[in-house]
Amino acid sequence: MVMERPVVETVAIQELTAERILALIASTELDAESKARLAAIAEAAKASDEASLALASRQERRDGITADQERIRENIGAAPEGSDLARLYAQKMLDQERALEQLDKDIVDARAKYEEARRVLGDRVRAF
C-alpha cells in the first residue's frame, strides 16, 4: 500500500527577496515558463532590495549625525565661551547641519526610488 499526501505551499512572491526568488527559480518543480516569469520578478525584487538598503543606509547616517550632535552640544556647553574649542565645536555643528540638509534631500530621493521599485515589483507580480 502506498499513501501519498500532496503538499501545497503558498508563497507571497512580492514579499520575498530577490535571493529567495532566485532559489525558487533554481528548484526543479517549476516549468520553464514560470521560471522565466519569475526571473523578471527577481530583477524587480533585486531593485527593490537595493533601494531599500540605500534608504536604510541614509536614514542610519542621519540618525548617527543626530546622535553625535547631542555630544557636540554638551561639549559646546563645557568649552569656554569664545575659545578655539568652542569655535571648533560650533563649526562641526554647522557642518553636520549642512550634511543633514543634504541627507534629508537624499532620503526623499531614496524613498521615491524605493516606492517606484516596489510599484514595479507589484506590477510584475500581478502580471505573473
Side-chain angles (χ1 to χ4, degrees):
M1 178 166 107
V2 176
M3 291 184 69
E4 291 184 15
R5 188 174 83 178
V7 176
V8 176
E9 183 179 350
T10 303
V11 178
I13 296 172
Q14 189 167 357
E15 301 306 317
L16 296 178
T17 63
E19 205 172 276
R20 179 70 174 110
I21 295 171
L22 291 173
L24 285 172
I25 292 170
S27 73
T28 58
E29 291 93 24
L30 295 176
D31 59 83
E33 181 184 347
S34 294
K35 287 182 179 187
R37 291 167 66 189
L38 277 175
I41 292 171
E43 180 184 317
K46 180 179 179 190
S48 175
D49 294 346
E50 289 171 353
S52 176
L53 285 173
L55 177 58
S57 172
R58 284 166 178 80
Q59 289 172 330
E60 189 175 304
R61 278 192 282 159
R62 189 184 196 300
D63 292 345
I65 290 172
T66 302
D68 191 45
Q69 283 188 327
E70 188 60 36
R71 177 189 64 83
I72 293 172
R73 282 185 192 94
E74 289 176 16
N75 289 342
I76 287 175
E81 193 173 323
S83 69
D84 288 343
L85 188 57
R87 282 190 291 278
L88 176 72
Y89 286 135
Q91 183 61 48
K92 182 151 180 88
M93 186 69 96
L94 179 63
D95 293 344
Q96 286 185 339
E97 284 299 317
R98 287 182 181 139
L100 285 174
E101 285 179 23
Q102 184 59 50
L103 272 172
D104 286 341
K105 292 175 188 174
D106 293 346
I107 287 170
V108 168
D109 292 343
R111 185 171 286 117
K113 287 178 184 175
Y114 173 70
E115 289 170 0
E116 175 62 16
R118 293 300 295 176
R119 186 195 60 74
V120 169
L121 176 59
D123 290 348
R124 289 188 185 176
V125 168
R126 281 186 290 283
F128 185 72

